[in-house]
Amino acid sequence: MKKYVIKNDLVTLLFLQNNQILFKIEGNSYKKEVTNEEEILLYDIYKNNNLVEISSKNEMIIGKLIEIGLLCIVNERFIKYQKTSLEKTNHLLYMLFNDVVIEKILKKTIMIIGVGGIGIEIINHLIALGIKKFVLVDYDYIDITNLNRQLIFGVDDVGKNKLDVVKKIFCKKDKSLNFLLYKKKIECKNDLVSIIRKNSCDFIVCAADLPFAKINKSVIEASIELDIPCSFSGVGIKSGSVGPILNNNELKRQFLMKYDKLVNSGAEAFPVAGSISMTNSIVSAYLSMDIMFFLMGKLEKVKSLNKCYELSFFE
């Protein structure tokens, strides 16, 4: 298998006069003199973001630059994402994990319950990661008051079914996307179980806000029965909540007890009357990042794993 080198994006590099370079790695700065050939190769790779194949002609030069820490070796698995919509994503993730981890998520099927301010943004982020298959659940229609935070919709969409418009807009951008639509209100766990089984969903994103306790209870129950992970989030006036992403059935049961009590008491939580696009975008971006790390198996990076954390918007 052929090997190539790319620039190490974890390094800050400056080209100085007289064949000298200044670079910073992990907080430490170094100044080194390089040959003409080394400088030309480095300049080409760093300025033009080029990949260079390792050959007998450049092996010694490249070996020295790899040893210094300025270049990274990649293989043909990395190369196939060049000049595609996933090039930048793949490059960033390779810098973080020294592996083509993007391949771990491309064939996942994600269920999104609720395509509102958070749900739509999560779909957008996950599509950008290369995920192609989504199972969407929502029974609502687009209202004029949605337009300040559900930014893919326009005035002409008011009154239309949300799922139909979401599918149309995203598939116009990428015809290879696969959206399976369920225009229904989730009444119990069994409603979800049948959909998840039919479509072999790998992950549930609960972005629905009504009925809050009942839908969260149903999601956790279905997640326990089918042993698949699920996630939650929410937006308030001054803060938002990210998570939890639940992948442990014992912890799921603990969260389930909370919603059981709410449902049995007849109490219900309602969404806030005021909401803006920025706060929805912030929460959805943080949760999408956690979902990305989770699907890649990088659990140590998932801040909301089996717990919820708050984001303060205005402090």
Side-chain angles (χ1 to χ4, degrees):
M1 182 178 284
K2 294 179 181 179
K3 290 184 178 180
Y4 301 79
V5 287
I6 57 172
K7 67 179 181 179
N8 186 348
D9 275 340
L10 301 178
V11 174
T12 302
L13 175 64
L14 292 174
F15 291 91
L16 307 177
Q17 294 180 335
N18 303 320
N19 294 104
Q20 290 188 321
I21 58 171
L22 181 68
F23 57 97
K24 188 175 182 180
I25 302 177
E26 296 180 353
N28 298 312
S29 296
Y30 305 90
K31 187 176 182 181
K32 284 191 177 292
E33 191 170 313
V34 292
T35 66
N36 254 354
E37 287 178 300
E38 290 167 350
E39 185 178 42
I40 290 168
L41 179 67
L42 273 177
Y43 193 80
D44 184 46
I45 293 174
Y46 270 76
K47 182 177 185 296
N48 302 313
N49 200 26
N50 282 343
L51 288 112
V52 174
E53 184 178 347
I54 300 176
S55 65
S56 56
K57 291 181 180 180
N58 62 25
E59 191 171 9
M60 286 186 64
I61 296 173
I62 286 175
K64 179 181 175 182
L65 297 174
I66 290 171
E67 188 177 342
I68 294 173
L70 299 178
L71 301 179
C72 295
I73 298 177
V74 296
N75 56 33
E76 288 173 339
R77 285 171 55 221
F78 181 95
I79 302 298
K80 71 180 182 180
Y81 297 105
Q82 292 301 105
K83 306 304 179 186
T84 74
S85 62
L86 297 178
E87 176 182 324
K88 301 297 184 182
T89 304
N90 182 48
H91 196 114
L92 182 146
L93 294 172
Y94 194 90
M95 289 297 105
L96 290 176
F97 301 116
N98 197 32
D99 190 15
V100 188
V101 291
I102 195 171
E103 293 178 338
K104 295 181 180 180
I105 67 173
L106 298 181
K107 294 184 179 180
K108 299 294 186 183
T109 298
I110 309 299
M111 170 182 271
I112 310 279
I113 304 170
V115 289
I118 290 178
I120 288 171
E121 287 300 308
I122 289 174
I123 295 168
N124 218 353
H125 288 305
L126 297 185
I127 288 173
L129 286 174
I131 293 173
K132 299 290 187 183
K133 187 175 178 182
F134 294 87
V135 177
L136 307 184
V137 183
D138 201 312
Y139 62 92
D140 206 0
Y141 290 81
I142 300 164
D143 187 83
I144 190 71
T145 61
N146 297 149
L147 303 189
N148 80 314
R149 64 200 183 282
Q150 298 170 25
L151 301 181
I152 67 168
F153 300 141
V155 175
D156 291 342
D157 297 318
V158 172
K160 297 177 183 177
N161 182 275
K162 281 188 176 182
L163 296 189
D164 290 335
V165 179
V166 166
K167 180 178 180 178
K168 181 181 178 181
I169 289 172
F170 283 120
C171 287
K172 189 175 182 180
K173 295 180 181 178
D174 184 351
K175 291 182 172 57
S176 67
L177 294 172
N178 183 7
F179 286 103
L180 301 158
L181 309 182
Y182 289 85
K183 303 171 187 177
K184 63 184 297 181
K185 188 174 183 178
I186 300 302
E187 300 289 349
C188 64
K189 169 199 73 174
N190 291 336
D191 289 343
L192 286 174
V193 168
S194 61
I195 298 171
I196 294 166
R197 279 188 172 142
K198 183 177 181 180
N199 297 288
S200 301
C201 299
D202 298 295
F203 193 98
I204 308 170
V205 177
C206 182
D209 51 20
L210 282 175
F212 174 76
K214 192 173 182 181
I215 190 68
N216 285 9
K217 177 178 183 290
S218 298
V219 168
I220 295 175
E221 287 174 335
S223 175
I224 291 171
E225 181 168 326
L226 300 176
D227 196 22
I228 65 171
C230 58
S231 72
F232 303 88
S233 58
V235 175
I237 296 292
K238 293 185 177 181
S239 65
S241 60
V242 180
I245 290 180
L246 298 173
N247 72 330
N248 177 296
N249 280 352
E250 187 55 42
L251 286 172
K252 288 176 189 176
R253 291 186 182 94
Q254 292 179 27
F255 277 90
L256 183 59
M257 289 173 62
K258 167 187 168 183
Y259 293 115
D260 266 333
K261 289 179 181 178
L262 280 173
V263 171
N264 292 335
S265 70
E268 186 54 89
F270 295 96
V272 294
S275 186
I276 55 176
S277 62
M278 291 75 81
T279 56
N280 283 262
S281 296
I282 290 167
V283 169
S284 61
Y286 272 88
L287 182 58
S288 296
M289 184 89 76
D290 274 358
I291 292 170
M292 175 186 75
F293 287 137
F294 182 89
L295 294 176
M296 289 174 179
K298 304 298 181 181
L299 300 188
E300 72 281 2
K301 297 287 187 182
V302 183
K303 293 181 179 179
S304 63
L305 184 62
N306 297 314
K307 63 184 179 183
C308 171
Y309 68 90
E310 295 290 314
L311 296 171
S312 178
F313 299 136
F314 303 113
E315 291 181 4

